[in-house]
């Protein structure tokens, strides 16, 4: 029997926090790693641009609690924006979807408008 998604996310958060403390890893590195794993979970083969945008929105919403756990400070949120930019630039399927990714992160309150404006400078 598969456990509910919320229970899985809570277990994942506990495991990552434990590993973070054990190996004394900076929060920025955890943010980068978690974001990349979440985005790489998106299977985009055969999807058109609109379907991919919907998939990005769904996946970010599904993993919002996990991402929010490691992006509490302004610095962490800046790292998240920069990592989204890098991820979309490195992965050609996502190249034209950075604005959608950023918009989703804003709507899910993972980043604030002031942080987006500051990053834009």
């Amino acid at each position: 029997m598969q456990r509910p998604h919320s229970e899985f996310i809570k277990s994942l958060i506990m495991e990552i926090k434990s590993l973070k403390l054990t190996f004394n890893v900076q929060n920025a590195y955890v943010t980068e790693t978690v974001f990349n794993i979440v985005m790489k979970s998106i299977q985009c083969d055969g999807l058109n641009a609109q379907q991919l945008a919907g998939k990005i929105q769904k996946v970010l919403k599904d993993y919002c609690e996990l991402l929010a756990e490691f992006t509490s400070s302004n610095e962490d949120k800046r790292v998240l924006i920069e990592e989204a930019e890098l991820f979309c630039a490195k992965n050609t399927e996502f190249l034209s979807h950075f604005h959608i990714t950023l918009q989703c992160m804003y709507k899910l309150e993972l980043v604030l408008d002031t942080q987006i404006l500051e990053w834009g400078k």
Side-chain angles (χ1 to χ4, degrees):
M1 183 175 169
Q2 198 173 23
R3 59 185 170 170
H5 184 72
S6 62
E7 187 180 316
F8 168 72
I9 294 297
K10 286 180 173 107
S11 295
L12 195 53
I13 288 170
M14 287 187 341
E15 290 295 327
I16 292 171
K17 281 183 172 181
S18 174
L19 289 168
K20 181 179 176 283
L21 289 172
T22 300
F23 294 102
N24 193 27
V25 176
Q26 292 179 350
N27 214 45
Y29 185 70
V30 174
T31 300
E32 291 172 13
T33 304
V34 168
F35 178 80
N36 275 289
I37 291 171
V38 167
M39 291 299 285
K40 285 180 181 178
S41 72
I42 298 173
Q43 300 294 322
C44 48
D45 294 337
L47 297 180
N48 64 34
Q50 186 177 8
Q51 291 170 324
L52 181 56
K55 192 87 159 179
I56 290 169
Q57 291 172 347
K58 181 184 180 328
V59 168
L60 286 177
K61 186 175 181 182
D62 287 348
Y63 289 95
C64 179
E65 184 182 354
L66 176 65
L67 290 165
E69 188 67 37
F70 300 103
T71 55
S72 55
S73 74
N74 284 339
E75 176 65 20
D76 296 334
K77 292 175 189 296
R78 185 188 57 76
V79 167
L80 182 62
I81 293 170
E82 289 173 357
E83 197 55 39
E85 180 184 29
L86 286 171
F87 180 85
C88 290
K90 289 179 184 176
N91 296 281
T92 56
E93 308 87 23
F94 294 91
L95 191 57
S96 63
H97 288 81
F98 171 67
H99 67 287
I100 292 168
T101 305
L102 190 59
Q103 182 181 26
C104 289
M105 292 188 311
Y106 174 73
K107 285 183 178 179
L108 295 168
E109 298 179 357
L110 292 170
V111 296
L112 303 174
D113 55 350
T114 54
Q115 292 151 340
I116 295 171
L117 291 172
E118 189 173 311
W119 161 80
K121 293 178 185 177

PDB file of all heavy atoms in Angstrom, residues 93-105:
ATOM      1  N   GLU A  93      14.670  21.743 -22.680  1.00  0.00           N
ATOM      2  CA  GLU A  93      13.216  21.573 -22.645  1.00  0.00           C
ATOM      3  C   GLU A  93      12.566  22.661 -21.797  1.00  0.00           C
ATOM      4  O   GLU A  93      11.425  23.040 -22.006  1.00  0.00           O
ATOM      5  CB  GLU A  93      12.817  20.209 -22.049  1.00  0.00           C
ATOM      6  CG  GLU A  93      13.480  19.016 -22.658  1.00  0.00           C
ATOM      7  CD  GLU A  93      14.817  18.677 -22.021  1.00  0.00           C
ATOM      8  OE1 GLU A  93      15.071  19.048 -20.854  1.00  0.00           O
ATOM      9  OE2 GLU A  93      15.631  18.062 -22.699  1.00  0.00           O
ATOM     10  N   PHE A  94      13.292  23.153 -20.800  1.00  0.00           N
ATOM     11  CA  PHE A  94      12.757  24.132 -19.854  1.00  0.00           C
ATOM     12  C   PHE A  94      13.191  25.562 -20.186  1.00  0.00           C
ATOM     13  O   PHE A  94      12.796  26.494 -19.494  1.00  0.00           O
ATOM     14  CB  PHE A  94      13.221  23.793 -18.432  1.00  0.00           C
ATOM     15  CG  PHE A  94      12.659  22.507 -17.918  1.00  0.00           C
ATOM     16  CD1 PHE A  94      13.346  21.317 -18.099  1.00  0.00           C
ATOM     17  CD2 PHE A  94      11.443  22.479 -17.258  1.00  0.00           C
ATOM     18  CE1 PHE A  94      12.831  20.124 -17.625  1.00  0.00           C
ATOM     19  CE2 PHE A  94      10.916  21.290 -16.790  1.00  0.00           C
ATOM     20  CZ  PHE A  94      11.606  20.105 -16.975  1.00  0.00           C
ATOM     21  N   LEU A  95      14.001  25.735 -21.214  1.00  0.00           N
ATOM     22  CA  LEU A  95      14.599  27.027 -21.526  1.00  0.00           C
ATOM     23  C   LEU A  95      13.572  28.152 -21.628  1.00  0.00           C
ATOM     24  O   LEU A  95      13.758  29.225 -21.077  1.00  0.00           O
ATOM     25  CB  LEU A  95      15.410  26.934 -22.817  1.00  0.00           C
ATOM     26  CG  LEU A  95      16.295  28.106 -23.156  1.00  0.00           C
ATOM     27  CD1 LEU A  95      17.290  28.376 -22.036  1.00  0.00           C
ATOM     28  CD2 LEU A  95      17.055  27.830 -24.448  1.00  0.00           C
ATOM     29  N   SER A  96      12.473  27.903 -22.303  1.00  0.00           N
ATOM     30  CA  SER A  96      11.453  28.941 -22.462  1.00  0.00           C
ATOM     31  C   SER A  96      10.413  28.920 -21.347  1.00  0.00           C
ATOM     32  O   SER A  96       9.396  29.610 -21.430  1.00  0.00           O
ATOM     33  CB  SER A  96      10.761  28.793 -23.816  1.00  0.00           C
ATOM     34  OG  SER A  96      10.095  27.554 -23.868  1.00  0.00           O
ATOM     35  N   HIS A  97      10.667  28.159 -20.278  1.00  0.00           N
ATOM     36  CA  HIS A  97       9.695  28.026 -19.191  1.00  0.00           C
ATOM     37  C   HIS A  97      10.187  28.606 -17.858  1.00  0.00           C
ATOM     38  O   HIS A  97       9.589  28.369 -16.817  1.00  0.00           O
ATOM     39  CB  HIS A  97       9.312  26.559 -19.010  1.00  0.00           C
ATOM     40  CG  HIS A  97       8.446  26.057 -20.120  1.00  0.00           C
ATOM     41  ND1 HIS A  97       8.965  25.669 -21.332  1.00  0.00           N
ATOM     42  CD2 HIS A  97       7.123  25.918 -20.218  1.00  0.00           C
ATOM     43  CE1 HIS A  97       7.980  25.285 -22.120  1.00  0.00           C
ATOM     44  NE2 HIS A  97       6.852  25.439 -21.471  1.00  0.00           N
ATOM     45  N   PHE A  98      11.254  29.377 -17.897  1.00  0.00           N
ATOM     46  CA  PHE A  98      11.741  29.979 -16.653  1.00  0.00           C
ATOM     47  C   PHE A  98      10.692  30.909 -16.056  1.00  0.00           C
ATOM     48  O   PHE A  98      10.450  30.893 -14.847  1.00  0.00           O
ATOM     49  CB  PHE A  98      13.056  30.729 -16.864  1.00  0.00           C
ATOM     50  CG  PHE A  98      13.475  31.526 -15.662  1.00  0.00           C
ATOM     51  CD1 PHE A  98      13.847  30.887 -14.491  1.00  0.00           C
ATOM     52  CD2 PHE A  98      13.471  32.911 -15.692  1.00  0.00           C
ATOM     53  CE1 PHE A  98      14.214  31.610 -13.367  1.00  0.00           C
ATOM     54  CE2 PHE A  98      13.838  33.642 -14.578  1.00  0.00           C
ATOM     55  CZ  PHE A  98      14.207  32.995 -13.412  1.00  0.00           C
ATOM     56  N   HIS A  99      10.050  31.712 -16.900  1.00  0.00           N
ATOM     57  CA  HIS A  99       9.047  32.652 -16.390  1.00  0.00           C
ATOM     58  C   HIS A  99       7.880  31.923 -15.716  1.00  0.00           C
ATOM     59  O   HIS A  99       7.350  32.381 -14.716  1.00  0.00           O
ATOM     60  CB  HIS A  99       8.541  33.579 -17.507  1.00  0.00           C
ATOM     61  CG  HIS A  99       7.752  32.881 -18.567  1.00  0.00           C
ATOM     62  ND1 HIS A  99       8.320  32.061 -19.506  1.00  0.00           N
ATOM     63  CD2 HIS A  99       6.426  32.890 -18.809  1.00  0.00           C
ATOM     64  CE1 HIS A  99       7.379  31.583 -20.303  1.00  0.00           C
ATOM     65  NE2 HIS A  99       6.208  32.073 -19.896  1.00  0.00           N
ATOM     66  N   ILE A 100       7.529  30.769 -16.230  1.00  0.00           N
ATOM     67  CA  ILE A 100       6.446  29.979 -15.632  1.00  0.00           C
ATOM     68  C   ILE A 100       6.902  29.415 -14.291  1.00  0.00           C
ATOM     69  O   ILE A 100       6.159  29.443 -13.311  1.00  0.00           O
ATOM     70  CB  ILE A 100       5.999  28.851 -16.590  1.00  0.00           C
ATOM     71  CG1 ILE A 100       5.331  29.480 -17.811  1.00  0.00           C
ATOM     72  CG2 ILE A 100       5.078  27.864 -15.891  1.00  0.00           C
ATOM     73  CD1 ILE A 100       5.093  28.548 -18.946  1.00  0.00           C
ATOM     74  N   THR A 101       8.129  28.926 -14.255  1.00  0.00           N
ATOM     75  CA  THR A 101       8.687  28.393 -13.010  1.00  0.00           C
ATOM     76  C   THR A 101       8.732  29.493 -11.947  1.00  0.00           C
ATOM     77  O   THR A 101       8.309  29.272 -10.806  1.00  0.00           O
ATOM     78  CB  THR A 101      10.100  27.823 -13.259  1.00  0.00           C
ATOM     79  OG1 THR A 101      10.038  26.863 -14.305  1.00  0.00           O
ATOM     80  CG2 THR A 101      10.665  27.193 -12.010  1.00  0.00           C
ATOM     81  N   LEU A 102       9.199  30.659 -12.320  1.00  0.00           N
ATOM     82  CA  LEU A 102       9.292  31.779 -11.382  1.00  0.00           C
ATOM     83  C   LEU A 102       7.900  32.212 -10.918  1.00  0.00           C
ATOM     84  O   LEU A 102       7.679  32.465  -9.731  1.00  0.00           O
ATOM     85  CB  LEU A 102      10.030  32.943 -12.052  1.00  0.00           C
ATOM     86  CG  LEU A 102      10.428  34.105 -11.167  1.00  0.00           C
ATOM     87  CD1 LEU A 102      11.348  33.647 -10.046  1.00  0.00           C
ATOM     88  CD2 LEU A 102      11.124  35.176 -11.996  1.00  0.00           C
ATOM     89  N   GLN A 103       6.962  32.263 -11.842  1.00  0.00           N
ATOM     90  CA  GLN A 103       5.597  32.642 -11.501  1.00  0.00           C
ATOM     91  C   GLN A 103       4.974  31.624 -10.533  1.00  0.00           C
ATOM     92  O   GLN A 103       4.299  32.015  -9.574  1.00  0.00           O
ATOM     93  CB  GLN A 103       4.747  32.751 -12.767  1.00  0.00           C
ATOM     94  CG  GLN A 103       3.326  33.191 -12.525  1.00  0.00           C
ATOM     95  CD  GLN A 103       2.519  33.266 -13.811  1.00  0.00           C
ATOM     96  OE1 GLN A 103       2.817  32.579 -14.787  1.00  0.00           O
ATOM     97  NE2 GLN A 103       1.498  34.093 -13.812  1.00  0.00           N
ATOM     98  N   CYS A 104       5.213  30.357 -10.755  1.00  0.00           N
ATOM     99  CA  CYS A 104       4.697  29.316  -9.857  1.00  0.00           C
ATOM    100  C   CYS A 104       5.296  29.454  -8.459  1.00  0.00           C
ATOM    101  O   CYS A 104       4.585  29.336  -7.464  1.00  0.00           O
ATOM    102  CB  CYS A 104       5.003  27.925 -10.399  1.00  0.00           C
ATOM    103  SG  CYS A 104       4.069  27.477 -11.842  1.00  0.00           S
ATOM    104  N   MET A 105       6.597  29.701  -8.412  1.00  0.00           N
ATOM    105  CA  MET A 105       7.257  29.853  -7.111  1.00  0.00           C
ATOM    106  C   MET A 105       6.688  31.063  -6.371  1.00  0.00           C
ATOM    107  O   MET A 105       6.520  31.032  -5.158  1.00  0.00           O
ATOM    108  CB  MET A 105       8.776  29.970  -7.272  1.00  0.00           C
ATOM    109  CG  MET A 105       9.414  28.693  -7.763  1.00  0.00           C
ATOM    110  SD  MET A 105      11.229  28.660  -7.774  1.00  0.00           S
ATOM    111  CE  MET A 105      11.679  30.156  -8.589  1.00  0.00           C
TER     112      MET A 105
END
